[in-house]
Amino acid sequence: MATHATPASRRIIAQGTYETVSMLKNAEQLMLLLAFPVMALCTLRFTGILDTWASAHSISRIDATLPGVLALSVMSTAFSGQGIATGFDRRYGVLRFLSTTPLGRGGLIAGKLLAVVLVLMVQVVVICSVAFILGWQPDVAAVLASLPTLLLGATAFTSLGLLIAGTVRAEATLAIVNMAWVILAGAGGILIPGSYLPGPLSWFTQLLPSGALGEALRAQFIAGNFSPTSHLILLLWALVAAALASKYFKWSAS
């Protein structure tokens, strides 16, 4: 009796679905993926941290807050979430096992990217819904225009997360991505616009993937503009990180 291998697309979808469900069922991951961004949204909505910047652009607090929180959700999922999960999968030999199955290394990476996209869709729906409750007036054109930017940001941060997870020990990955998340969220131009930060931080943050993603989304949601510079910076981060991850990623920790 002849047997037929499952098409590669179905294997990737199955892997992506499995990783998505695993991420959304994990309490610690849920804190990182949904609770922290929603807490940031509420904090900036009900405090005056961005009032000066919002007044300068003649927008409300929630309009000044939403783009940065969406950028934060991308970083949480693609960088911290995938980086930590991949680091421990590598430590416990899961990556080496899966890479020898019909899924293959390429399929495994494609499955992880699919999981990032699916989780990101959930985050956008949840965060935009909460923002709407808090007074945000949805701009459908801006939301649609932001989707390619969110995907580009997810690609850049996923590549960075895989680069770290594939080159250092799992414990070090955990420490690095958590520390980077805190620093970039607070002073990386993601929640607080780079122009709102003091001194050299004002322009330096715009060269970071966090700052570039934040600026690109703020331009789309607030001014309805496409920022070519921010997108170019994000693209460069994605290309360089992907190239380095492809060259140095080790499937086994041993």
Side-chain angles (χ1 to χ4, degrees):
M1 181 177 177
T3 58
H4 300 282
T6 303
S9 59
R10 289 180 58 185
R11 294 197 293 268
I12 292 171
I13 291 173
Q15 180 65 25
T17 303
Y18 166 77
E19 296 219 13
T20 301
V21 173
S22 297
M23 292 170 72
L24 295 178
K25 289 175 65 176
N26 186 304
E28 293 181 359
Q29 291 273 27
L30 277 179
M31 287 290 292
L32 182 66
L33 304 179
L34 291 175
F36 288 169
V38 169
M39 289 168 62
L41 184 70
C42 294
T43 299
L44 293 176
R45 167 62 180 82
F46 291 109
T47 63
I49 297 174
L50 292 178
D51 277 2
T52 303
W53 192 85
S55 296
H57 292 79
S58 302
I59 57 176
S60 65
R61 281 182 185 171
I62 193 67
D63 287 333
T65 299
L66 179 64
V69 174
L70 289 175
L72 179 69
S73 68
V74 171
M75 186 173 70
S76 299
T77 303
F79 181 64
S80 302
Q82 274 302 325
I84 293 171
T86 303
F88 281 96
D89 281 351
R90 175 171 170 259
R91 173 183 176 180
Y92 295 122
V94 177
L95 289 185
R96 183 172 55 184
F97 170 74
L98 288 176
S99 67
T100 61
T101 67
L103 180 64
R105 297 184 176 186
L108 180 60
I109 292 175
K112 287 183 175 297
L113 290 174
L114 177 61
V116 169
V117 172
L118 293 176
V119 172
L120 184 57
M121 291 171 62
V122 174
Q123 289 176 300
V124 170
V125 171
V126 171
I127 291 169
C128 287
S129 297
V130 175
F132 177 73
I133 294 172
L134 296 178
W136 175 58
Q137 298 296 317
D139 183 342
V140 176
V143 173
L144 294 177
S146 72
L147 296 181
T149 303
L150 291 170
L151 291 177
L152 178 59
T155 302
F157 278 111
T158 300
S159 299
L160 286 168
L162 292 180
L163 173 62
I164 295 171
T167 53
V168 303
R169 294 186 298 112
E171 293 81 0
T173 298
L174 182 65
I176 291 171
V177 299
N178 279 340
M179 184 64 71
W181 189 92
V182 172
I183 294 174
L184 294 179
I190 202 164
L191 288 175
I192 310 298
S195 58
Y196 205 54
L197 297 172
L201 274 179
S202 180
W203 61 266
F204 177 71
T205 55
Q206 298 182 38
L207 300 178
L208 300 174
S210 53
L213 180 57
E215 289 303 313
L217 290 175
R218 276 186 280 273
Q220 290 170 328
F221 275 91
I222 295 172
N225 294 333
F226 176 82
S227 172
T229 303
S230 298
H231 284 82
L232 178 60
I233 292 172
L234 268 181
L235 180 61
L236 289 174
W237 274 101
L239 292 175
V240 171
L244 292 175
S246 177
K247 182 175 182 179
Y248 295 110
F249 190 93
K250 296 179 180 177
W251 293 82
S252 172
S254 60

